[in-house]
Amino acid sequence: MNLLVKLIGCYACFLLLTACEQSVQNPTGGSQEEPAAVQQSAEPTTAQPTAEEAIAFVARTEEELERLGQLNERMGWVLQNFITADTEFLSARTEEQFTAAKVEATSQATRFIGIEGLDYDTDRKLRLLRNDVVTAAPTDPDKMAEQAEIGTRLKGLFGRGNYCREDGTCLSLGELESIMGSSRDPDELLDAWSGWHSVSPAMKDLYVRQVELANEGAVEMGFSDQGSMWRSAYDMDPAAFPGELDRLWAQVSPLYQALHCHVRARLQEQYGSERVPAEGPIPAYLLGNMWAQNWTNIFDLVAPPQGEAAYDLTAILQAEGYDAIRMVKTGEAFFSSLGFEPLPETFWERSLFEKPADREVVCHPNAWDVDEKDDLRIKMCIEVNATYFNTIHHELGHNYYYRAYKDQSYLYRYSANDGFHEAVGDTLALSITPEYLRQLGLLAEVPDVSADLGLLMNKALEVVAFLPFGLLVDQWRWKVFAGEVGPDGYNELWWQLREQYQGVSAPGDRPETAFDPGAKFHVPGNFSYTRYFLASILQFQFHRALCEIAGNQAPIHRCSIYGSQAAGERLQAMMEMGRSRPWPEALEVLTGSAEMDATAILDYFAPLQAWLDEQNSGRQCGW
């Protein structure tokens, strides 16, 4: 073990000891000293609360949640960089304490909502507190513990899931995804798809109980069910929010249908009409992805004739001698060109850029805001290739967003809605254009416009193909939470929605025991999915607006805002608001409009749409 690892190890030990000191555990694992936000449950709740009490409650709660949140963040960092049984245990304890405080604060906040005399900030923070719990749980301690245990078990079933064939060969999700992405043997693809979907039936009974407990907890907080609780976080009537999503979908569905029509025709050429019907939905297992949510792995089957990439960014980066640090420095330079301050020195000292050789770490890329001020970090096992080059720009977008709203009070330190954070990172990645690469000296000249169709097709297979899936996951859950369908109908509803929105079908009749929604992590993990649909819409709306601010004259798919301080100033003005104001106001600061608008996607993909319409002439589109 080298000196750096020893020092990091000592730092980890210090954090673990600090966690233990701040929450001394009794022999049964409970806390002897509950956080202040939890202690407030002992206060009398019968008398009508006053505005002054509400203001004091918010102040106390923000202070306590900030303390517990930062401890939880540090423990999470230690766990993901030093995976041991001890760090798992201690991280679970700090997360449990933080969650308990949030649940209690949420319950208490409900008392104060709607009382007379509240100022804007207190009223908004109370409503944010009420929506700050991802998985609702009843206040009954036994049921709260049961809900926590169910969540852990569901994630464990997913994480440990393997498909074991009759010959004894067992394959993990990663190995099955590799088959889905590379094989052109339909029987092998069907086996991989069916194999992974055989893992999720064991989750169903647990999920049914999770829904029951979540709805009970949501009702205690004043909502009709958990779906209504999730939708209420979007600064509009929860009942009206699905209609807003349908409006956005209606704007982009013609582009999706054109892409679907072309892809179906090409897949029929590849696999024959017995596998792919000429006028029906596409079998989900043939689209190159376990969930048919990203179709880039079948690019070679559907690409335009001139679809060959004009350059190989991975090869260029490797030939130019790029390493992990240089890749991140290049991303930082992009933001500096927009007028943002350089990243703090601690970012370079404390981030994880490469997979260590001497310990297990979580390599999934993500950005961290450890102290909610200046201790910004990223955690990535970077490889020198085009994918990581894009991902670095995306993750740094999160870091700069964190820093932009650091001076807001605790409950305002988040994006305007949960789609904004993802959208900002994706927006910056849209500026990785041939012109940007030329400015970096990675390309001698910008390729001819004839190369654009291939680039646009690849992007459409990633983004446009995702849109209906990003929409339907929560459409399914909202109906489940609302009791519109019982457990016996879960799977049937899932495939009804997938056919309705995606135009994809299950490979034959699914068994009665199937629980296919559970094959997607966000369902057993109980993470809201609408954010990803919104991010896919917002990134193009952001990009179009920033390109206009930067004075771009080229088609927006060729626009890079690199070097535009005017664009950087507008982006900063929106990000520094955090969630202190409703998201339409933040959107208007950046784009000039308070309404989400998906037509920017149509502008971006206009050349591809024209080409698809030509290809689809004479074909029967739709399903």
Side-chain angles (χ1 to χ4, degrees), residues 315-330:
I316 293 170
L317 292 168
Q318 292 173 354
E320 291 292 322
Y322 273 67
D323 58 14
I325 297 298
R326 188 176 177 187
M327 298 242 296
V328 180
K329 287 285 188 182
T330 301

Side-chain angles (χ1 to χ4, degrees), residues 380-400:
M380 298 174 64
C381 301
I382 297 172
E383 300 174 19
V384 179
N385 60 39
T387 298
Y388 275 92
F389 191 77
N390 279 268
T391 301
I392 286 165
H393 286 71
H394 172 94
E395 296 301 338
L396 289 181
H398 289 299
N399 287 127
Y400 283 92

Side-chain angles (χ1 to χ4, degrees), residues 70-342:
Q70 289 182 21
L71 176 61
N72 185 58
E73 191 79 357
R74 290 184 185 278
M75 287 303 306
W77 175 267
V78 172
L79 171 62
Q80 294 203 21
N81 286 276
F82 299 87
I83 303 174
T84 70
D86 292 326
T87 57
E88 285 180 348
F89 174 85
L90 290 164
S91 180
R93 283 292 175 265
T94 56
E95 183 173 357
E96 178 183 343
Q97 187 183 44
F98 184 42
T99 300
K102 288 198 295 182
V103 168
E104 181 62 24
T106 297
S107 175
Q108 292 296 313
T110 304
R111 293 178 54 226
F112 297 102
I113 290 175
I115 65 175
E116 294 184 2
L118 289 181
D119 61 279
Y120 168 84
D121 285 314
T122 301
D123 181 69
R124 181 163 181 78
K125 288 176 179 180
L126 288 168
R127 295 179 188 278
L128 291 173
L129 274 172
R130 194 174 63 154
N131 293 304
D132 206 29
V133 177
V134 175
T135 305
T139 52
D140 177 276
D142 291 337
K143 290 182 177 180
M144 186 182 294
E146 182 186 2
Q147 184 73 301
E149 181 183 356
I150 288 173
T152 299
R153 290 177 63 188
L154 283 170
K155 291 172 188 174
L157 284 169
F158 187 96
R160 294 189 300 271
N162 280 306
Y163 164 47
C164 294
R165 293 174 171 149
E166 292 182 359
D167 63 4
T169 304
C170 292
L171 300 173
S172 67
L173 174 58
E175 292 168 321
L176 293 167
E177 284 186 284
S178 179
I179 293 171
M180 295 292 294
S182 61
S183 176
R184 296 292 180 257
D185 179 340
D187 291 327
E188 185 179 26
L189 291 170
L190 179 57
D191 178 68
W193 188 96
S194 301
W196 178 248
H197 285 75
S198 70
V199 170
S200 52
M203 305 174 188
K204 185 175 180 180
D205 289 344
L206 287 170
Y207 186 78
V208 171
R209 180 59 175 160
Q210 184 182 62
V211 169
E212 293 173 352
L213 293 170
N215 279 342
E216 186 177 339
V219 168
E220 287 185 14
M221 290 186 281
F223 300 101
S224 58
D225 56 63
Q226 170 138 319
S228 177
M229 185 185 82
W230 281 359
R231 294 191 300 274
S232 69
Y234 290 99
D235 291 314
M236 60 188 301
D237 181 353
F241 186 58
E244 174 69 0
L245 300 181
D246 284 339
R247 179 186 69 81
L248 295 169
W249 172 239
Q251 289 181 311
V252 295
S253 59
L255 173 60
Y256 177 80
Q257 291 185 26
L259 180 66
H260 179 281
C261 190
H262 174 69
V263 167
R264 182 178 61 192
R266 289 292 180 85
L267 289 177
Q268 188 182 52
E269 294 173 10
Q270 175 72 18
Y271 296 113
S273 58
E274 291 185 1
R275 297 268 185 181
V276 184
E279 299 179 5
I282 302 170
Y285 69 97
L286 295 177
L287 286 160
N289 174 268
M290 187 63 75
W291 307 278
Q293 70 179 67
N294 181 315
W295 303 351
T296 54
N297 286 321
I298 61 167
F299 175 80
D300 60 305
L301 300 180
V302 304
Q306 63 273 45
E308 283 293 322
Y311 57 88
D312 183 342
L313 180 56
T314 296
I316 293 170
L317 292 168
Q318 292 173 354
E320 291 292 322
Y322 273 67
D323 58 14
I325 297 298
R326 188 176 177 187
M327 298 242 296
V328 180
K329 287 285 188 182
T330 301
E332 180 191 36
F334 183 100
F335 287 89
S336 294
S337 80
L338 302 180
F340 291 97
E341 292 295 320

Side-chain angles (χ1 to χ4, degrees), residues 387-525:
T387 298
Y388 275 92
F389 191 77
N390 279 268
T391 301
I392 286 165
H393 286 71
H394 172 94
E395 296 301 338
L396 289 181
H398 289 299
N399 287 127
Y400 283 92
Y401 206 157
Y402 294 145
R403 188 162 66 177
Y405 56 61
K406 70 176 183 177
D407 292 330
Q408 294 284 354
S409 57
Y410 174 77
L411 287 170
Y412 287 162
R413 291 183 209 144
Y414 192 58
S415 56
N417 69 39
D418 55 9
F420 274 59
H421 236 304
E422 293 298 324
V424 165
D426 288 336
T427 298
L428 276 300
L430 288 176
S431 280
I432 303 177
T433 61
E435 174 58 26
Y436 170 56
L437 299 177
R438 185 197 65 78
Q439 290 175 286
L440 295 182
L442 294 174
L443 290 178
E445 57 184 23
V446 175
D448 184 74
V449 69
S450 62
D452 288 359
L453 276 181
L455 294 172
L456 286 171
M457 174 61 84
N458 196 59
K459 193 69 177 176
L461 294 173
E462 174 195 348
V463 177
V464 178
F466 171 78
L467 287 169
F469 187 79
L471 181 62
L472 71 86
V473 174
D474 280 350
Q475 296 279 1
W476 176 82
R477 283 194 287 201
W478 294 342
K479 292 178 183 296
V480 167
F481 292 140
E484 294 181 27
V485 62
D488 291 344
Y490 280 5
N491 220 58
E492 182 181 359
L493 175 63
W494 177 252
W495 286 107
Q496 286 175 356
L497 292 172
R498 295 202 67 180
E499 183 167 335
Q500 175 186 341
Y501 285 102
Q502 280 188 289
V504 304
S505 61
D509 294 333
R510 298 296 294 146
E512 291 183 4
T513 57
F515 181 50
D516 295 332
K520 179 63 181 175
F521 170 74
H522 294 72
V523 173

